[in-house]
Each structure stands twice: as C-alpha cells, then as structure tokens.
Amino acid sequence: MAAAAGTVLWRGLVGLLPRRGLGLAALLGRLSDRLSRGRDRRCRRSSWLLLAPLLTPAVPQVTAPACPEGTHKFQWIRNLVPEFGVSSSQIQVLSSPAQFFELMKEQIKGAKRRVVVASLYLGTGPLEQELVDCIEETLEWSFQASEQTDLRVSILLDFTRGSRGRQNSRTMLLPLLRRFPEQVRVALFHTPNLRGLLKLLMPERFNETIGLQHIKVYLFDDNLILSGANLSDSYFTNRQDRYVFLQDSPEIADFFTELVGAISDVSLQLQQDDTVQVMEGMVHPYQGDKLAYCEAANRRVMEVIHSARIRQELLHSQTFHSRRSEGNLLLLQQDPNAGGEQNQELDTWIYPLIQMKPFGIQIDERVTEMLMTEAERGARIYLTTGYFNLTQAYMDLVLGTRAEYQILLASPEVNGFFGAQGVAGAIPAAYVYIAHQFYSEVCCLGQRDRVQLQEYSRNGWTFHAKGLWLYLAGSRLPCLTLIGSPNFGYRSVHRDLEAQVAIVTENRALQQQLHEIFFSSGSASVQS
C-alpha cells in the first residue's frame, strides 16, 4: 500500500527514537511539568507545548447563537468574518503535490489581471525556477498583447525564512523585480517580536521560531488555491498536503488580494539592489515602536475584514435573491458576460478565518474552539497536523468535550525533520514524546474509544497536511472542513500570521470529496 496509517503503537515509536532525542524530550518535559498548574494529582499531564512557552492567557469564549430555520448551523461565523456563498461546482479538491504544481503553472500562464502569492518562502531548485519562469513569460506575453498591461504580480514571503542562506527566495525573485519593476511587488514580513538584542543574537533558522508569515494563498485573477503547502520542490513532488481550488470566485479573490496587500503594506519592500525599505508612512517592524506598529497592522487587517463583511451583506441584499425551489436554495446571480441571469445552486459557504496574535487578531482561534465546544454528542471531529503540538486549550477541548475525535499525525519517518543534522534531528523525537504524553492521558481518563490517534506513514514521502473535518451526529460525511496554514499549535495560535477557510457545504458530492481526501491513499489510508 502506498500510504498506510494505523493506530499508534507507542512502544514501537519510542524505540525508533535516537537516545539523544529522548533525552532532550524528557528534559524539556520535566521542566514544563514544573510550570504546569492545576493538574489532576492522580493523572498528571506532562508537556503538550514542548516546543513553545506554556502559560498563555485564555481566549474569551463566544457562544454560537441558534440559527433561524432554513439556515445552516454555522452561520454564526459571519458575525466575525465575511460570508461568501458559492456553488459547490466552483470547488475542486486536489489530492497530490503534482496536481498542485501543474495547476499552479497553468493558472499563472492564464492570468490576465493579477497573480497574488503568499507563502512562507520560495525554494531555490529547478521546479521553483520553473514557477518564476512562468510568471516572467506571462508578464512578457501581457506586454506583447498591450503596451499598457493590466497584469500585476504581488508576492508576500517571510523575511527571515526568505533570507536564509546565500541563495534564497530573494535572489530567486530579484531578476523578476528588476525586469518588471512597475508590475512586480515583493514584500517580506518581519515579525515585530524579533528586535533589539534578540535579533542581534539569534542565528539563522533559530530566529524563525520567534514568528513568521505562514499564510499560503495562490491567486490568479478570480481563481485561487488555498493550501498549507509552501513553494518548494518537495511540496510539488512527495510532501503530502491539502489543496482546494476555488474557481470563478471574484469576491473571495478580492478579499484575499486585499488581505495579502494589507500584510504587504506593513512588511519590508524588496528593492532591486536586494535591500529592503519600509513603505512611506509605515512604522518599521523591528526598529520602530512595537506597539504603534502592531496597532497599525491591526487596523489595516481588520479594515479588510470589516469592509468585506459590509460588502458581502450589501451584495446579498441587493444583487442576490434566494428562494426555495424543490428543497434547494438557488442563487440568482447576474453574469455580466452573459448579459442575463443564470441560476447557480447556492449550497456552499466560505468563511475566511484569520489568526495574527502579534496584532491582537484571534478569529481563527475563537472559531476553532467554538466548533470543538459546540460539537454535540455523537458528532465526529477528524483532525490532522504534520506537527503534533496542539495548544493547551485545544488539548483540553479534545479531552473535555462530547464529540468523538480521530487525530492523524505524522510518523517519525515522514516528519520533515527526520534525519536532519544537529538539533533539528531531534525534532521528530520531541513530537513523538508530546503525542506519547497525550495518549497516556487519553488512556488514563479511559477515553481510548472516544479519542483515537493514528499516524501517517508512506515510504519516500513526508507529511505536512493539516485541517479539521466536522461530521454531525448520525452523518457519515463531513459538512464542514477547515483548510489553510494553521497547525493548531502554539506558534500558529500565538506567534505566526495564519489564515484558513471554513468550508460549509450541503452538497453531498463535495462532502464525499472532502471525506475521501482524508482516507484515500493519496492522503492516508486510515483504518481503526
């Protein structure tokens, strides 16, 4: 079998760990245990946040209001973020890195107005160069077609990760920036928390632990790919992730264009000589006042979210008219190209969830906690992450709420750090230690039937998928999924910039696709 996952056999896993890795994990575990408070004396919890600080303030809880009859039960999310209604026919679920890579190239070549890319970094290999070449060729073609091209390319990456090494993301993009300075923008987000003496002393790679731009959005005119995948060769070949392709979705594309633009505005701007500058009127992220910078960034991002909410509410009331017809909700949407109205089935809703704790934005965290809290008895939640390091709050909800949980995590061999040199080589051992401690608590609380842990294993592959699937009680298919950049860990919640979408659908075919992507051999074959 190309991919297989089974119930975690902890003794076997621990036996795979290097002695030095176990020593590191055990030491950190003992230190974190001393910091833990309010533990059950009969069944003590060891560290779940082994790779990050432990004590964090609780997020205020919100209560999901009852929905009016005829609406889906998750419409409370639109009180926090814009709601985009679409037809399920506009959504395609991809299953493989190769599909992702080929679709990226195809969409770049077909772009006429905009290419917007947000990622952690761009790799430096031949496949990454192929993507850059596609952008260059598309810009060349647009100039040949018209002297005043409308095509604009905006790229947002992380400063520390994108600047690592002599050859890096910046050097890959400089030729593009120099040749098309009016059409190409490259922004490098620098966390405001890496400053002063800390910035001076932290070496490369280690400085990336302080905070990153982790959002992944790949947008081409009115089409976009939402994923957790970065732009590097392994993500195009043998590193499993998740990918959803949204087609002909101008409102959603506009939102993410504005979101990436807002973050780019408060980021450092790459110049043709490989220096960086702050946009005029903006506070410097690590040289300027930290509070002023974070407040300015909060205003920019929240302005995008609030304006999109207002825009969508007006759009729904003015140009969209819904009615019940034979049990289906139909959307009558004006098609400017067709010159008339065409009927599309409104059966799917998209909610963008943003998490930027450095800027005081915690929408994704609030929604995720609410989904876990409100899931009724008999409901099932499937959760997957390439790095099993859930926050204390998420761990408590898994153990203390009513739904059944099935958690898919990476086996040590498919962890991206497996076999790495130096300290990084011990990271898989640390994640196994965290999972071992959590599984011990599951057993101690007698919840092995309700909370199951399974691992992804596939020869020659690594695992980077993350997400959540929610199955209502009595349903064999999910009605909601979360897909995007968050790993549900400490860094995702507290340090990095993250974005994902909640997809709620009533369409059985799309629900089946979402269900199968969790269980298929292209993702993982999971057997209880």
Side-chain angles (χ1 to χ4, degrees):
M1 181 176 291
T7 303
V8 176
L9 301 177
W10 294 111
R11 289 185 181 178
L13 284 178
V14 173
L16 291 172
L17 301 178
R19 185 176 300 276
R20 62 178 181 179
L22 280 175
L24 172 65
L27 173 61
L28 292 175
R30 287 196 296 271
L31 290 174
S32 62
D33 284 343
R34 293 190 178 187
L35 294 174
S36 300
R37 297 178 178 178
R39 299 303 191 197
D40 184 276
R41 294 186 180 277
R42 182 181 64 83
C43 179
R44 293 187 181 275
R45 297 180 189 172
S46 295
S47 169
W48 293 326
L49 303 177
L50 182 60
L51 306 180
L54 298 174
L55 303 178
T56 57
V59 177
Q61 293 295 313
V62 293
T63 302
C67 291
E69 184 178 357
T71 64
H72 68 76
K73 66 179 297 180
F74 304 106
Q75 283 194 337
W76 55 267
I77 304 177
R78 70 180 178 186
N79 295 325
L80 301 173
V81 296
E83 176 186 69
F84 301 97
V86 299
S87 166
S88 57
S89 62
Q90 297 169 251
I91 300 177
Q92 179 184 357
V93 180
L94 309 180
S95 62
S96 73
Q99 276 185 298
F100 170 56
F101 183 55
E102 293 302 322
L103 183 60
M104 283 276 293
K105 293 189 293 181
E106 173 188 313
Q107 290 294 307
I108 290 172
K109 292 176 181 177
K112 300 295 189 294
R113 295 180 292 108
R114 59 187 173 187
V115 172
V116 179
V117 170
S119 191
L120 174 61
Y121 70 104
L122 172 70
T124 58
L127 295 182
E128 296 91 320
Q129 186 61 55
E130 195 173 334
L131 281 183
V132 176
D133 291 343
C134 280
I135 296 175
E136 183 176 12
E137 291 168 6
T138 302
L139 283 166
E140 286 178 347
W141 181 89
S142 69
F143 271 106
Q144 292 174 4
S146 172
E147 292 183 3
Q148 297 296 325
T149 177
D150 294 329
L151 180 61
R152 295 294 181 269
V153 176
S154 179
I155 300 173
L156 171 65
L157 305 174
D158 181 73
F159 178 88
T160 53
R161 182 62 183 88
S163 303
R164 186 204 294 179
R166 181 172 299 177
Q167 186 179 11
N168 52 43
S169 304
R170 294 163 64 164
T171 60
M172 290 286 290
L173 294 170
L174 280 174
L176 204 61
L177 187 62
R178 290 165 180 161
R179 185 172 179 189
F180 303 100
E182 300 301 320
Q183 286 71 43
V184 176
R185 178 191 192 186
V186 178
L188 302 169
F189 173 80
H190 190 295
T191 177
N193 294 325
L194 182 64
R195 57 176 50 230
L197 190 61
L198 183 64
K199 180 174 175 62
L200 182 65
L201 297 179
M202 288 285 280
E204 276 191 356
R205 298 178 67 96
F206 289 92
N207 59 9
E208 297 166 22
T209 64
I210 305 303
L212 296 168
Q213 191 305 110
H214 200 243
I215 295 170
K216 287 76 183 272
V217 173
Y218 308 111
L219 189 152
F220 322 93
D221 291 343
D222 293 336
N223 303 331
L224 66 158
I225 302 172
L226 297 173
S227 178
N230 293 304
L231 297 179
S232 184
D233 56 359
S234 63
Y235 292 92
F236 305 146
T237 54
N238 63 346
R239 186 157 173 76
Q240 186 62 56
D241 216 300
R242 297 179 67 206
Y243 333 84
V244 167
F245 181 43
L246 304 179
Q247 305 171 70
D248 300 319
S249 304
E251 292 86 9
I252 303 175
D254 287 346
F255 172 83
F256 279 103
T257 297
E258 293 173 13
L259 177 66
V260 172
I263 303 168
S264 296
D265 287 348
V266 300
S267 299
L268 300 171
Q269 312 300 308
L270 184 64
Q271 305 299 305
Q272 296 180 44
D273 60 357
D274 200 22
T275 61
V276 292
Q277 294 181 5
V278 178
M279 280 189 61
E280 185 177 354
M282 295 294 177
V283 182
H284 197 285
Y286 64 87
Q287 294 177 353
D289 181 78
K290 180 179 177 181
L291 180 60
Y293 172 79
C294 292
E295 288 178 347
N298 176 285
R299 286 194 299 271
R300 287 289 289 111
V301 173
M302 292 307 298
E303 179 184 352
V304 171
I305 296 172
H306 290 320
S307 63
R309 280 189 63 208
I310 294 172
R311 202 161 55 233
Q312 286 306 110
E313 289 172 0
L314 290 174
L315 190 63
H316 292 159
S317 63
Q318 294 176 3
T319 63
F320 287 81
H321 307 281
S322 59
R323 72 175 185 267
R324 288 285 178 181
S325 176
E326 297 179 359
N328 292 324
L329 186 62
L330 296 180
L331 172 66
L332 301 181
Q333 182 178 22
Q334 182 71 26
D335 183 354
N337 297 320
E341 287 185 336
Q342 64 178 17
N343 289 350
Q344 283 188 311
E345 185 179 357
L346 176 62
D347 56 10
T348 303
W349 296 266
I350 308 291
Y351 301 94
L353 308 179
I354 313 303
Q355 183 74 13
M356 301 178 182
K357 187 70 173 287
F359 304 155
I361 300 172
Q362 300 171 253
I363 298 172
D364 179 67
E365 181 183 6
R366 293 175 64 189
V367 171
T368 301
E369 290 189 1
M370 175 61 65
L371 292 173
M372 298 170 75
T373 301
E374 295 295 319
E376 68 269 35
R377 189 177 303 279
R380 291 173 292 147
I381 292 179
Y382 293 172
L383 189 149
T384 182
T385 174
Y387 306 108
F388 188 79
N389 184 30
L390 306 189
T391 65
Q392 184 75 62
Y394 291 160
M395 288 290 191
D396 288 343
L397 286 170
V398 171
L399 292 172
T401 50
R402 298 160 292 183
E404 299 174 5
Y405 280 85
Q406 186 167 307
I407 302 172
L408 178 64
L409 48 92
S411 68
E413 296 87 351
V414 300
N415 187 293
F417 293 97
F418 187 76
Q421 299 296 315
V423 175
I427 291 177
Y431 284 119
V432 170
Y433 180 80
I434 296 170
H436 184 200
Q437 295 299 101
F438 175 66
Y439 186 69
S440 295
E441 175 125 3
V442 170
C443 295
C444 181
L445 296 175
Q447 297 193 28
R448 282 182 294 183
D449 291 337
R450 191 181 69 84
V451 181
Q452 297 182 4
L453 273 69
Q454 299 173 311
E455 63 175 11
Y456 178 100
S457 180
R458 188 174 184 181
N459 187 37
W461 283 62
T462 57
F463 185 68
H464 193 253
K466 70 273 293 186
L468 181 149
W469 293 253
L470 177 58
Y471 298 68
L472 297 179
S475 176
R476 68 175 190 86
L477 296 176
C479 62
L480 176 147
T481 191
L482 303 182
I483 178 170
S485 65
N487 284 300
F488 308 106
Y490 180 90
R491 285 180 56 177
S492 288
V493 171
H494 296 282
R495 292 187 174 181
D496 298 342
L497 306 190
E498 305 279 9
Q500 63 180 342
V501 295
I503 301 177
V504 179
T505 184
E506 296 175 346
N507 181 270
R508 300 284 289 181
L510 180 55
Q511 290 177 352
Q512 185 69 37
Q513 284 188 66
L514 296 172
H515 173 77
E516 289 175 351
I517 203 66
F518 187 87
F519 290 96
S520 69
S521 61
S523 171
S525 178
V526 184
Q527 302 294 334
S528 298

